Amino acid sequence: MQRAALFSGGDGQMAAGDLGELLVPYMPTIRVPKSGDRVYKTECAFSYDSPDSEGGLYVCMNTFLGFGREHIERHYRKTGQCVYLHLKRHVIEKVPGASGGALPKRRNAKLFLDLETNSDLNSDDFEYEDEAKLVIFPDHYEISLPNIEELPALVTIACDAVLSAKSPYRKQDPDSWEEELQASKHAKTLVQLDNGVRIPPSGWKCSKCDLRENLWLNLTDGSVLCGKWFFDGSGGNGHATEHYKETGYPLAVKLGTITPDGADVYSFDEEEPVLDPHIAKHLAHFGIDMLQMQVTENGLRDNDIKPRVSEWEVIQEAGMKLKPMYGPGYTGMKNLGNSCYLNAVMQAIFSIPEFQRAYVGNLPRIFDYSPLDPTQDFNTQMAKLGHGLLSGQYSKPPMKSELIEQVMKEEHKPQHNGISPRMFKAFISKGHPEFSSNRQQDAQEFFLHLINLVERNPVGSENPSDVFRFLVEERTQCCQSRKVRYTERVDYIMQLPVAMEAATNKDELIAYELKRREAEAARRPPPELVRAKIPFSACLQAFSEPNNVEDFWSSALQAKSAGVKTSRFASFPEYLVVQIKKFTFGLDWIPKKLDVSIDMPDFLDISHLRARGLQPGEEELPDIAPPIIIPDDPKVRLLYFRRSFLVALDIDESSVMQLAEMGFPLEACRKAVYYTGNLGAEVAFNWIIAHMEEPDFAEPLVIPAFGEVAPSGAAAFGAVGLDNQPPEEMVAIIVSMGFQRNPAIQALKATNNNLERALEWIFSHPEPEEESEPVLDMMDMENNANANILAETGSEGPRIKDGSGRYDLFGFISHMGTSTMSGHYVCHLKKEGRWVIYNDLRVCASERPPKDLGYIYFYHRIPS
């Protein structure tokens, strides 16, 4: 029988045997999803099409990948898979009843697609209808579902399993790499006691132990109690949990996390952090208006702290009638739950032509040569995101009012304004303990993480991240001998210190501080903040001034001495990224933010910071390692090196704090300094960049006992060395004891990286085995491939785009809140001659861009 004859067109019925015969050739390719299979039934792997889109979504019944109508043919041609489940959501007008009201009309008994509903639709007049059918390629045969009696049992089971599959981003096991908070089952039906409880604006404390931190508000009775082990890591006495066991009241919100975007909610019954879609109503029951709240660290609502409200209002340009922008380059991004840091950075990245050309310009080639699972390919997901932001396909103006009624009579076709970067975030944060969570993160840290991924996943002949790349010349001088040493390293961000001592309104700041202390003593809301006004020139001057080098050992004096270090630009990048170092640590080790106003210039000239290299009359420091006295007795000698080894493992806390101020997790900073042998923050920084994707990146440091083989995680701080090379930090420890580098490498290789045995090997081999210089040079080059100390060689030299040091400002990212662990990010970009604000999904023409309150600034070099 001809397959085409199986369908009589229109409403013709097909016999059960006919359907079975049609599907027989494809049965081996139809799979039932197993535990661990990711089923992408809500989003296309190559675009942001979904079942809501006009063409719906096609889910492969073998790989369970989803594809929009524009990309389904590509997958069919590449894989030969023929059977797809086509999913489509319709929004239709309800049929009026005899009484004039609307009656529900559904083709299906239930909504089986796990999609978000359109809040703009009036549910009294419109409803959703989900439709599913099997489609067989290449002839596009369609089989409507459900068709349980006619379809083979395997096909029915497979279709039901796909339709009921959980989100691929949901945390299903401890090893899962992405966590998506789910709405609590208690949120909709939560009963709140009408007991008259109102939460005060300040003075929160646990009602059972007077603890004033890690406090949780029970959403049923308004009890304020301390937590114990909750996901934010704070300590407590567990009274919130005890209260749940006594009362059964299931939901609590953490005080201090409430913002207009939501709050941290925990379900004791479900034993996990959850979403509460009705959180605004539940908080209002206790007198809390979340639209006026900002995150705090001190137990006060930010709506009682005028400066914080002011910061949020000024940066987001609240209270102004901002004109929405639509079209290519004006596409918003949905906040997935504290993902505004990602949204802000990616909007800035894809405003740069080099990134546009690399990913969107090469989109056909990237998609055609993508792997079989494009959801796990960096370049594919970058191209997808770039196209989503730049195509204008997901940023269309509202329909004209005269057309709305006509369209609604037939079928509502929702406008796709904005994209949801869920697939992108899931992949780019894979294995990262911070970015894979739903906690707020540092935009600067994410920027470096993104650059690291771009570097590791080349696309085309040029690497787009080269536009940020520049060389830093560091000049270290011994203050006593006046001799100098010059080194170079690669960097991507210019970090400017905040010169608080140069504030131009010191008298106002002193008066404010006195009023603030009086208000704190009287437990009154603090006075209106006076923000420090810092000249940009003072920050630039602070950057260029010499810094003291702690514990400096002078090779000229063969002793410890005072040393200073200055940094200059050995090259200027095409795009200069400037970070204002607003975040620091308080005495309680809690990250704090310097709330300052800096008059950032639209035109920036840093030509005077050009490095000059070794100057006439300057004498270089000898390249000599610190000498050590080695005892003659072998046993005493070994004990000495044991002691030296333990001393070498002491962690330089100053370097740890320098890294932590950049926004990296504290434990990761300690590991970086330890594993690089206390060689300084610059070297440890490179270790962080090379290891930040490892699952245990932010886990506490575990120091092995002396004589143990180095753990596999203690890899060298270079990115990729030769497979048989010992860890660089162990080489550095031996070299720091006065031995030469080559014997140290040989000793570690001969003893399987056992430090104690390596030292014994050196003593038992006084004449090191000869090895050719070229081979040793290559080993050195490989070991230091990604170190901040420049080790790039070759005829072309380092990948830099040097030019003039004159720049124009074209974008900046601003942060609102008290620390990188909380708050909100917004991006402003200059496009077509005017400033535009990107506030997650909201994209509008900016009226008053707050350039003085930014955190990260983007400058483009002015052509000479």
Side-chain angles (χ1 to χ4, degrees), residues 90-143:
H90 304 271
V91 183
I92 64 173
E93 188 176 13
K94 292 182 179 179
V95 178
S99 61
L103 295 178
K105 170 190 173 185
R106 292 185 179 178
R107 281 170 278 179
N108 299 321
K110 63 179 181 178
L111 298 176
F112 50 79
L113 297 179
D114 185 19
L115 300 174
E116 297 180 358
T117 58
N118 190 335
S119 59
D120 294 334
L121 294 181
N122 187 337
S123 59
D124 294 333
D125 300 322
F126 300 93
E127 66 175 353
Y128 293 95
E129 290 186 353
D130 293 339
E131 178 185 23
K133 55 189 176 185
L134 283 174
V135 180
I136 302 176
F137 281 70
D139 299 315
H140 294 267
Y141 292 133
E142 296 181 355
I143 302 174

Side-chain angles (χ1 to χ4, degrees), residues 16 19-20 23 27 30-32 61 134 147-161:
L19 280 178
L23 290 169
M27 293 295 288
I30 298 177
R31 294 176 52 228
V32 178
M61 293 302 293
L134 283 174
N147 233 328
I148 299 176
E149 296 180 359
E150 292 84 357
L151 293 176
L154 173 66
V155 178
T156 300
I157 294 172
C159 291
D160 287 343

